[in-house]
Amino acid sequence: MSTERQRHPAAPTISEVAAAAGVGRATVARTLGNYGSVSDVTRARVMLAAERLGYQPNTLARSMTTGITKTLGIVLADVGNPFFSGVLRAIAETAKGSGYDAIVLSTNENLELERDAIRVLLAKQVDGLVVASAAGRGDDVSHLAAAVDRGTPMVLIDRLVDSLEVDSVVIDNRDAARRAVGSMIAQGHRRIAFAWGPVTLSPATDLDQMHRILDRALWSDGERLRGYLDALEEAGLPFDTALVTHVLKNEDQATRAVNGMLALADPPTAIFTTETEATVGALRAIRSRNLHMPAEISLIGFDDSPWAAVMDPPLTMIEQPMRHLGETAAAQILRRIEGDESPAERHIAPSRLISRSSDGPAPRT
């Protein structure tokens, strides 16, 4: 067997494309880089020559010439979450349709990892950023502000950052939660658990302290809890701090927290969960106590998904329009990259409560 290394034919160069098309190198660069002015006839000749030669553009060289990398940076709180994975797919597909690739980084709800992610993406000269920030309302967001100040277009998705004047794509979390909890109250429930509340080392001991916690919470967390409080207030029901969890956001913590609430002397008859892991944790706690839905306990959760519909019983859920959110965010960031300088816009997408069989009338005592 010969030990001589296999020789590969050299990749065609921009000069060879220019020669084959009968134009100058600069014309080929403008045509393949999609910038500057090139006639339709010349563009067709260059593209045909490039295709015949099998020319692959050097994207790094193109970005140095045009300042455009044709990449989007996407920073999400947790790509393992079905909601964020659905949003990501819609962003990536929409971006790809316009010739953009996506660089995706997950922060696991860690603000320090988010800062690192933004630093990496800016170093790679992405043309725009789509961010689901892990920042609470009291956190330092100078890393995001610096990206905006340097002229990098940014769209916030799922969560707002109050201090940033940038585009955002969200749902009305407060109203969605208020409607869901209100539907439980309308069925006679008076003790409704909330899983989960804002993560804090010092859980609220009364309503005033809860509002102070909300003023520093992650935007979406805070808005969902505000909706819960709205529904209680509208019905004239008292707020009980024992019915709101403040645990770290994972399934095991949610299971333990809901188990603790179900063990109270006056336990909840209904549970409202605000994310997938909280829903799964609540279901585990319910089953560990052999409680039956909805006869003994009702449950409504956030983020509908196919598995929720095939549970026994099927779960009543709030549906967030993942594809709509992702497509809208991608379309907006692409408009900004293309030069749209109109004032920042907040896009509020519709959500809906999908009624199934996990909630029902409060059990008689």
Side-chain angles (χ1 to χ4, degrees), residues 4-10:
E4 183 180 354
R5 295 177 64 184
Q6 183 178 356
R7 296 182 179 273
H8 295 278

Side-chain angles (χ1 to χ4, degrees), residues 75-81 83-84 105-115 132-136 139 157-159 196 199 217-221 224 248-250 274-275 277 303:
V75 180
L76 298 178
D78 180 6
V79 294
N81 184 313
F83 167 73
F84 283 118
L105 296 176
S106 181
T107 66
N108 298 320
E109 299 284 10
N110 184 304
L111 190 54
E112 201 54 47
L113 291 179
E114 178 179 307
R115 293 189 179 100
S133 180
D139 289 328
I157 192 164
D158 186 56
R159 295 103 180 260
W196 38 53
V199 177
L218 184 73
W219 181 81
S220 54
D221 284 355
R224 293 174 189 182
L248 294 175
K249 292 186 172 184
N250 62 62
T274 62
E275 292 186 23
E277 286 184 296
D303 293 341

